[in-house]
Amino acid sequence: MFSTAFLDLAPLEEAGGTVVLPGSKSISNRVLLLAALSGGTTVVHDLLDSDDTRVMLDALRALGCSVVHKGAAVEITGIGGVASRTRPAGSGIPPSPSGGGSGWGRSARLFLGNAGTAMRPLTAALALMGGEFEMSGVARMHERPIGDLVDALRQLGCRIDYLGNEGYPPLKIHPASALKLDAPIAVRGDVSSQFLTALLLALPLVARQDVVIEVVGELISKPYIEITLNMLHRFGIAVQRDGWQRFTIPAGSRYQSPGEIHVEADASSASYFVALGALAATASPLRIEGVGADSIQGDIRFVDAARQMGAAVSSGANWLEVRRGAWPLRAIDLDCNHIPDAAMTLAVMALFADGPTTLRNIASWRVKETDRLAAMATELRKLGAQVQEGADFLRVTPPADWKSASIHTYDDHRMAMCFALAAFNSAGARVRIEDPKCVGKTFPDYFETLFSVSRTSRPHIPVLCVDGPTASGKGTLASEVARRLGYRYLDSGALYRIAGLAATRAGLALDVGHEHTIARLAESLDIVFTEGRVLLHGQDVTEAIRTEEAGMNASRVSALPAVRSALVALQQGFRQLPGLVADGRDMGTVIFPDAPLKVYLTASAAQRAERRHKQLISKGISTTLPGLRADLEARDARDSNRAVAPLKPAVDALLLDNSGQSVEESVAQVLRWWEEKQNFS
Ligand code: DC
């Protein structure tokens, strides 16, 4: 996962290959709750591992549920039908958590992050179970409505208080005295379908008689209710449905674990890759595995919308294959009520259409992770689109003139995921995704997955070069800049050190006489940089290449032109998505002459000698400052004057004298220069 402050995307050109998508968030959290309410143990396969499911698992644990990770599966041991066993029939007294199963605690404070799929159903279940519970979340969760659900539960006799603003979490739940199940329970369906889902999931707890729910207002997001009904069915509860207005949970309904259950891949997550195929799968198709024509998720119907815009999609039971069809995409005018989440992806596809696209009936966007209507309009405009934002619709006219933009993501995973697709614009506009880790809500490895099926020509992949004299701190600066950008890091000096080590181990003298033998050896080196370790032919050489002797040997082999040429392709191979920071003396001059940012780092000889002195002393090596300084000055002179790869700044390098700077100050300067190059509007 990218946990950087932002992620700068290279202009991307083409897509193809196969992605295996993570499990559905909607199914995962419903399954977890149902497993927790059932008797016995449920083995859940392909569960989504993300912020929202972690929040649910933590809550279930806090309530006393047993949660065991067994390999890739999660085993949930539920409360064992406590509700129907311990409550005197017809008493109207809520269940107590004694008896079979793991038993739920009578009190808990639950923090539910920004997971609506945990907050709403748990509120309903706990209000019916009885006990003292406090439910809170992040600030945005406290702005997301829950009043309609609380109203519905209060009709039943549940006791729920608002701890902050009326109608919003945080909530305090108290034990109900008696439940009134005779009259139908009315719940609004036009703000969030999660209120109805919450009631449907929780009411079987008390279904000693038929329990009827009546929806007030037009029910939105019906496909999510279908997922709820489908999952309830898998757990032994057959809800009767009359249209979308009336739902009956039959008397005697009891949660029954299916024993094992597989979570299908997330259809909303699939939308980004369906869109990607439509935008950029020009040479070979993009195959999506884990979700397909047999999906029970409503968002699978995004595929129809994508087809309307021009995507060429074929499908099997649990796979999709997408290619670019019409190009540019066709503008559409669509009621998106049935695909509220995936419709955000259409808004970004609209940037590539042949006219204005209108997405209608999406008022629910306003109460999601952020006000998605406002957020979408603001960010699309940054890229140069003309956007009309209505109360419940969005009209997007593609940019006449694309602009580079830093996309604010509002702690909303879908904003980050769909806007990444804008990097496929062919106008060369740059796209920065702020706070990329927000994708962790549903798809922690989203960007890695995106890069694995995206291609662009090498010159498009950004490289930042940091060259400079010995002991200038270029390694420290370059690796820190790489970390902050989420880019790869090439320590080219390490390659020469490895070549020197390999040659010495092969018994070769490091001189011109063996130049070509060493070069051939250098070409065939099998090097892996992993988690701070360096492996040569599978053997850890991290320490071996850091000795003074290894430095001397590196210096010798680096003066052999054939060895330098032998390492060119290897070094250039590090230029991969999302980008590279490369450090070493000829990075900006020979290896990556087209790099968009080159920094030549210097510091006074006195400063560098002092730094090296500290470094050596800390390693327990005794030296003197004047001696070190003399060595450095001699090495500078030798390095600058040598015929092969002399130390000199690239003509277009920016000079950074870090003599008086902290590492943080130098890093900040380089990042400022980098941002200036992006030219964000
Ligand atoms: O940066 P370092 O100390 O790890 O470098 C080891 C040697 O390799 C040093 O003598 C400089 C040389 N070198 C080079 O010639 N070209 C590079 N791109 C990187 C290092």
Side-chain angles (χ1 to χ4, degrees), residues 35 125 233 326 458 470 528 599 615 624:
H233 188 74
R458 276 252 172 98
T470 188
V528 179
V599 176
Q615 207 176 39
T624 67

XYZ file of all heavy atoms in Angstrom, residues 35 125 233 326 458 470 528 599 615 624:
73
model
N -22.312 -14.309 10.523
C -21.564 -15.408 11.143
C -21.512 -15.198 12.653
O -21.606 -16.146 13.430
C -20.160 -15.490 10.560
N -28.296 -4.433 15.511
C -28.136 -5.704 16.226
C -27.975 -5.465 17.727
O -28.619 -6.135 18.539
C -26.927 -6.458 15.670
N -30.293 -15.383 3.145
C -30.705 -16.690 2.652
C -29.612 -17.729 2.916
O -29.878 -18.842 3.352
C -31.019 -16.578 1.154
C -31.633 -17.805 0.587
N -32.932 -18.173 0.828
C -31.105 -18.785 -0.180
C -33.189 -19.315 0.225
N -32.088 -19.708 -0.396
N -15.528 1.567 -28.616
C -15.650 2.893 -29.222
C -14.587 3.827 -28.657
O -14.294 3.790 -27.463
C -17.039 3.454 -28.929
N 8.976 4.068 -21.620
C 9.978 4.392 -20.595
C 10.138 5.893 -20.357
O 10.159 6.331 -19.214
C 11.337 3.793 -20.987
C 11.498 2.355 -20.593
C 12.487 2.240 -19.413
N 12.498 0.871 -18.905
C 13.419 -0.041 -19.236
N 14.405 0.270 -20.051
N 13.357 -1.248 -18.735
N 31.418 12.360 -3.251
C 31.355 11.405 -2.151
C 31.058 12.118 -0.820
O 31.461 13.258 -0.626
C 32.691 10.625 -2.095
O 32.559 9.581 -1.159
C 33.863 11.502 -1.705
N 19.090 -8.782 -6.217
C 17.753 -8.464 -5.705
C 17.900 -7.485 -4.539
O 18.655 -7.743 -3.598
C 17.025 -9.745 -5.218
C 15.651 -9.398 -4.662
C 16.906 -10.759 -6.345
N 19.286 16.595 -9.656
C 19.804 17.403 -8.557
C 21.279 17.081 -8.409
O 21.665 15.903 -8.402
C 19.060 17.070 -7.242
C 19.667 17.830 -6.075
C 17.576 17.377 -7.385
N 30.279 9.337 10.994
C 29.832 8.021 10.531
C 30.835 6.932 10.946
O 30.457 5.906 11.506
C 29.760 8.084 9.004
C 28.778 7.159 8.348
C 28.781 7.436 6.838
O 29.844 7.691 6.248
N 27.620 7.401 6.222
N 41.046 10.727 11.801
C 41.178 12.130 12.196
C 40.495 12.979 11.140
O 40.462 12.621 9.950
C 42.659 12.562 12.295
O 43.209 12.525 10.969
C 43.428 11.653 13.232
